[in-house]
Amino acid sequence: MKVVRTGEARKAPRVSLVPSPSRGGYPAGTLPLDTILRGDCIAELAKLPARSVDMVFADPPYNLQLGGELKRPDESRVDAVDDDWDKFESFEAYDAFTRAWLLAVRRVLKPTGTLWVIGSYHNIFRVGTMLQDLDFWILNDIIWRKTNPMPNFRGRRFTNAHETLIWASRDPAGKGYTFNYEALKAANEDVQMRSDWLFPICSGHERLKDEAGHKVHPTQKPEALLARVILSASKPGDVILDPFLGSGTTAAVAKRLGRHFIGIERDATYADAAQARIDAVEPLPEAALALAPSAREAPRIAFNALIERGMLEPGTLLTDAKHRVRALVRADGMLSLETAPGLGQVGSIHRAGAIAQGLEACNGWTYWHIQTREGLRPIDSLRAAVRSEMAMAAE
């Protein structure tokens, strides 16, 4: 199979591209990057090196257990999921399958890696239990709320208008996993991203169809959903694995977003359609993929640096956002409170802010504001300007 490499980030693992071995595993230090592995997911996962993958997105069979055909009120047949790959003899058989692929995924995940699993009420609770039994650590459950769900044609239940995603780290002690908090917040109008996501189901030109106009895959996920997952929990150059690749949504989005992918799919029709889809994807330019540094990664700036750079003059009055509290900037970088409570007390921007509010702690960068021509602005905007200058000087 043709392998197409995307650009690697600076910290991307050094790996070489090798064909899928018929037996045994891949040589140490190698990964089949940007490849669809055709075969059983558990068998193919066993060939991959341990602790080699940054993120896994899994869309396993839901075990829907449909009893007979589903029809609309006009007696037309609903194109539901009735494929053999979604059928299991019993809950015990499904649980055994779930345990097997989760153990295989856990082995290939890096200690800092995370797993995403999507499902419906038919299976997600069983998967969640198994995750905890195997010592994964659940970080969040995400609700994908569908804008255009399929109605309940029989009128005997609520419309199934959502699916659930579980996001988990490899083990309870897992630290250092990727979560692009600041980027998500910025994309959400500077409001913390919530755990309920609103997206339409896959339709229109995005839906893969065969020559007869039929869906290539019955449960194709929307690219917007995968884009948010990948942007949330990975970095450019990371390796993303999908053990149930299906129509290739994970791989297509990963390639577009500058990540490497490894897909596993046993159905030849799905694998062929996915490969054609992936081959048509053009990665975004590197400049469009760069992540803004998180607050923890940004260089530390002392308040006194603002005074030394002439951005704040000693004697300047700072206020809170509502002009209720005032503090005088001193030449030594300390603040002197000009209003009660704490009138006359001196402290750092953080300590002075805490005293003014009667609190134990305070983020002085966001609490204190300065009057500018553009209006009242937090002094954190001055710190951001210093960081920007430092970044330009380093280029």
Side-chain angles (χ1 to χ4, degrees):
M1 177 177 295
K2 181 181 178 181
V3 175
V4 181
R5 298 196 66 176
T6 58
E8 293 189 9
R10 293 178 182 177
K11 296 184 179 180
R14 291 185 177 275
V15 291
S16 60
L17 303 179
V18 295
S20 177
S22 58
R23 63 183 64 182
Y26 293 90
T30 64
L31 275 177
L33 295 183
D34 308 324
T35 304
I36 300 176
L37 306 178
R38 302 191 181 212
D40 175 77
C41 71
I42 298 171
E44 293 300 325
L45 283 167
K47 300 174 186 177
L48 298 177
R51 302 187 175 196
S52 59
V53 171
D54 297 289
M55 194 195 94
V56 173
F57 180 86
D59 185 5
Y62 286 10
N63 193 26
L64 295 179
Q65 305 171 42
L66 297 179
E69 288 190 346
L70 181 60
K71 295 185 177 181
R72 299 181 178 86
D74 62 2
E75 292 300 312
S76 60
R77 182 179 179 276
V78 176
D79 187 12
V81 182
D82 55 4
D83 303 80
D84 289 340
W85 52 258
D86 194 59
K87 297 175 182 178
F88 292 81
E89 294 180 359
S90 63
F91 285 128
E92 290 77 12
Y94 186 78
D95 290 347
F97 167 73
T98 300
R99 179 182 177 84
W101 74 258
L102 282 176
L103 282 172
V105 159
R106 193 171 189 273
R107 187 187 70 83
V108 302
L109 265 177
K110 293 179 180 178
T112 55
T114 57
L115 163 68
W116 293 76
V117 187
I118 188 170
S120 70
Y121 71 88
H122 299 88
N123 72 321
I124 199 64
F125 303 110
R126 307 188 79 85
V127 173
T129 298
M130 192 66 68
L131 281 167
Q132 292 180 319
D133 287 347
L134 296 177
D135 276 343
F136 284 87
W137 188 255
I138 295 178
L139 300 169
N140 275 115
D141 65 324
I142 308 293
I143 299 300
W144 166 30
R145 188 158 62 91
K146 303 173 182 178
T147 59
N148 52 343
M150 181 184 295
N152 185 272
F153 295 107
R154 294 173 180 170
R156 302 292 294 175
R157 302 180 184 181
F158 296 106
T159 296
N160 295 322
H162 77 278
E163 292 184 33
T164 301
L165 298 92
I166 297 176
W167 181 38
S169 61
R170 188 176 179 271
D171 54 62
K175 295 182 180 179
Y177 59 84
T178 298
F179 179 49
N180 298 314
Y181 172 82
E182 283 80 7
L184 292 170
K185 183 178 179 181
N188 196 40
E189 299 183 352
D190 284 327
V191 178
Q192 188 178 64
M193 186 69 73
R194 291 160 50 110
S195 62
D196 52 335
W197 299 352
L198 186 65
F199 292 109
I201 62 174
C202 186
S203 60
H205 70 279
E206 188 179 314
R207 169 68 75 172
L208 299 188
K209 294 186 179 181
D210 59 21
E211 295 179 356
H214 300 134
K215 299 176 183 176
V216 169
H217 195 287
T219 63
Q220 182 179 335
K221 297 300 184 289
E223 291 190 4
L225 178 68
L226 266 297
R228 182 170 294 180
V229 168
I230 291 172
L231 290 171
S232 298
S234 71
K235 301 174 182 177
D238 278 357
V239 179
I240 297 175
L241 168 71
D242 188 332
F244 309 99
L245 187 64
S247 60
T249 303
T250 302
V253 176
K255 180 180 177 182
R256 179 164 57 86
L257 295 178
R259 277 72 167 168
H260 292 296
F261 69 85
I262 300 173
I264 302 175
E265 180 52 55
R266 68 182 185 183
D267 185 288
T269 299
Y270 296 162
D272 289 343
Q275 187 64 57
R277 178 184 185 184
I278 296 163
D279 289 343
V281 172
E282 288 292 332
L284 292 172
E286 187 174 341
L289 299 172
L291 294 174
S294 68
R296 294 180 181 180
E297 296 171 335
R300 296 181 63 85
I301 305 295
F303 177 68
N304 202 47
L306 305 185
I307 299 173
E308 295 169 348
R309 288 170 176 257
M311 303 175 79
L312 271 179
E313 293 287 340
T316 301
L317 281 177
L318 304 181
T319 73
D320 68 330
K322 297 182 178 179
H323 290 283
R324 294 176 179 173
V325 180
R326 296 190 304 277
L328 183 75
V329 177
R330 295 173 22 137
D332 59 4
M334 305 288 274
L335 299 186
S336 175
L337 287 169
E338 299 292 300
T339 53
L343 177 63
Q345 292 195 51
V346 175
S348 68
I349 58 172
H350 309 300
R351 183 59 187 154
I355 294 172
Q357 299 174 87
L359 302 175
E360 290 295 322
C362 168
N363 182 350
W365 290 106
T366 56
Y367 178 74
W368 294 110
H369 290 62
I370 183 174
Q371 190 67 45
T372 70
R373 294 178 180 177
E374 293 78 27
L376 200 63
R377 298 172 61 193
I379 58 173
D380 198 31
S381 62
L382 302 180
R383 181 174 64 164
V386 174
R387 284 175 171 163
S388 179
E389 290 177 7
M390 293 173 64
M392 293 179 63
E395 291 180 354

